[in-house]
Structures are given as structure tokens and as C-alpha cells.
Amino acid sequence: MRDIVWRGLRIQPPYIGNKIQVAPPPQITEELAKRDETAKAHSLPPFWMVSFSIGIPLLLMVVKSMIELFIKLEYMYEGKFYEVASFLGHPFTALIIATLIFTWLLGTRQGYTRNELLDISTKALAPAGMIILIIGSGGTFKQMLIDSGVGDVLAQSISKTQFPPIILAFIIAAAVRIILGSATVSMITTAGIVGPILESYTLSDIHCALIVISIASGTTILSHVNDSGFWLVGKYLGLTEIQTLKSWTVMETIIALGGFAFALLFSFFV
């Protein structure tokens, strides 16, 4: 990749950008090619209309969560309103409602015919189908590792070492993340193991917060083939496995090491 000249300044592309040459995904290229033709045939919807359509499922789920919180705090009691909010706020229901509103508000109302809407929906599902299939397969493999208890056994073994809490938290989180691939599972596993250990230390609130950052950093490191996010990024952007490892995995690892380095360095001053 050659240097870019902008306003007389020569800008050298990033290191990774020089190593990977990837064309835009076909679905994006086709969409850009047809954008002008679509814009001429149909007027673009206003910003508020798009924001409203996107915000509806989020609003429904937030309302459901707030009602559950009020019931837990005994500010409200379960009743018909709670049942309706729970139904409408369920992710599946909220997304179906949003899809129907999108279809009418941004489709039929903008002059699209049924055949055009069907064509748009079909093209939207085509690239997502392979991604969903691969993510499902990766999730199955990840769940097999979780159910086998490999992560718990490894985390318990590491917890017996004499590392400082902030380093121990990072090592456990990183080990479980690399083996299982799930950032959420590794975070919960690490928190469950490190939590009781911290009771034997006298730590400030800031130090505890830095340990949380250390755990979060460890759960980000080295995303690879048993991580569904790895396949999501790779397949959506049209990257091969090697290219995804060179770009996405490297980026995730840099973020993880950077976050841990910050937490460790800052811990010496608190």
C-alpha cells in the first residue's frame, strides 16, 4: 500500500494496513453501486424517523428492565401492566415490532413496493446467514468447553499462586478467555474466583476498580477461532482466518495489554 498524500503531507498507512490487502465486502460494493439509483427513485427518510425506528426496541427493553427493578425494590407490584411490558420488552418481541415499524415507516411510507421490500430483505439476510451459522457452530464448541469445566479447573489452579491480586485477576481472565473464547464467561468466572481472595487484602475502592479493569482487559485478549466475535468480524468484512488473526486478534490483544498496563501502573500510586 503506497503512502497517502493529503494537503501536501505524506501519510504512511498503519503497520497492519501495509500487511493486509482486503477489498470491500461484495454486499457493501453492490450497495454503493446502487445507492445513486435508489436515491433517485425514493426520497431518503429524515433523521428523526430513522432514530425513532432504531430507538423503539431499546425503549421497550429499557422500560421492561426498569419495571423489574421497581418490583424488586418493592416500588411496584406485578400485574397486567408488568405482564404486557415483559412481553413487549422481550428482545424477540421488541425486534419484531421494530422490524414491522421499519417496514412500514422506512419502506411502504417511502414509496417502496412489496417486491422491492422483499428484495431488500432477501439481500439483507444473505450475508447474515453464513455469519449466524458460523457463530452458532463456534458457540456450540465454546459451550462444550464451558460444560466440561476446563475454565474452572484452570482458574482454580492459577488462583493458588502467589501473584498480586491485580496480576492474578488478569492471568485468570486471560487464560479462561483463550480457552473458552467467551469474554462474558471468563469475566464471571474470574470475578467469582478473585472476589473471595480480595477479602484477605485491605484494598481501596480505586484499587478494586483497577482490578476490575484488569479482569476486563484479560477477557479481551487474543480473540481467535473459538470466539464468536472472531467469526462475526471476519465473515462480515470478508477476511480470511489468517487476515482476521493479523488484524482483529492483534487489535484485541493490544487493547487488553494496554488496559492491563494502565491498571498495573496506576496501582503503584494508589
Side-chain angles (χ1 to χ4, degrees):
M1 185 181 295
R2 293 179 296 180
D3 294 353
I4 302 172
V5 178
W6 180 73
R7 294 187 178 182
L9 300 176
R10 185 173 297 277
I11 303 174
Q12 185 176 7
Y15 176 79
I16 294 179
N18 275 328
K19 303 296 182 182
I20 303 174
Q21 302 291 334
V22 181
Q27 61 269 22
I28 296 180
T29 305
E30 294 175 2
E31 184 65 25
L32 291 175
K34 295 181 179 180
R35 178 177 295 179
D36 294 337
E37 181 180 349
T38 304
K40 294 177 182 178
H42 305 282
S43 59
L44 295 177
F47 175 76
W48 70 266
M49 190 179 295
V50 178
S51 302
F52 172 74
S53 302
I54 295 175
I56 284 178
L58 300 177
L59 178 63
L60 291 174
M61 287 185 280
V62 168
V63 169
K64 173 180 176 290
S65 300
M66 292 298 296
I67 292 176
E68 291 177 346
L69 176 61
F70 289 152
I71 291 176
K72 185 177 181 180
L73 297 176
E74 297 184 352
Y75 293 147
M76 292 180 61
Y77 298 96
E78 295 186 14
K80 294 295 182 182
F81 181 71
Y82 168 73
E83 294 177 0
V84 173
S86 297
F87 174 73
L88 296 179
H90 191 280
F92 292 164
T93 308
L95 291 175
I96 290 174
I97 293 173
T99 302
L100 295 175
I101 293 176
F102 261 113
T103 303
W104 175 76
L105 197 60
L106 303 180
T108 306
R109 197 169 184 271
Q110 299 299 317
Y112 287 88
T113 64
R114 292 183 178 181
N115 290 333
E116 288 176 327
L117 290 175
L118 178 62
D119 184 55
I120 293 173
S121 302
T122 303
K123 289 181 178 178
L125 290 173
M130 182 59 66
I131 296 174
I132 294 172
L133 177 63
I134 294 177
I135 289 177
S137 302
T140 303
F141 176 60
K142 175 197 71 177
Q143 194 61 42
M144 291 174 60
L145 293 175
I146 294 173
D147 293 341
S148 67
V150 174
D152 293 334
V153 172
L154 178 65
Q156 292 288 354
S157 300
I158 297 176
S159 65
K160 297 177 182 178
T161 60
Q162 300 300 317
F163 289 110
I166 192 169
I167 299 178
L168 179 65
F170 176 80
I171 293 175
I172 294 176
V176 178
R177 156 72 164 178
I178 294 171
I179 291 176
L180 300 184
S182 173
T184 305
V185 173
S186 60
M187 189 177 298
I188 294 174
T189 302
T190 306
I193 293 174
V194 174
I197 297 176
L198 297 182
E199 295 179 358
S200 59
Y201 293 86
T202 303
L203 302 175
S204 65
D205 292 341
I206 296 179
H207 205 106
C208 291
L210 293 175
I211 293 177
V212 173
I213 294 176
S214 179
I215 294 175
S217 300
T219 59
T220 306
I221 199 170
L222 206 63
S223 171
H224 58 98
V225 294
N226 62 347
D227 179 18
S228 58
F230 175 89
W231 296 106
L232 175 64
V233 172
K235 293 304 177 181
Y236 185 78
L237 298 179
L239 303 174
T240 64
E241 286 74 15
I242 297 298
Q243 291 171 333
T244 310
L245 286 170
K246 289 182 178 180
S247 55
W248 171 255
T249 303
V250 171
M251 181 196 71
E252 290 275 274
T253 304
I254 292 174
I255 292 174
L257 295 178
F260 172 65
F262 164 79
L264 181 62
L265 179 63
F266 201 75
S267 66
F268 293 117
F269 303 96
V270 296

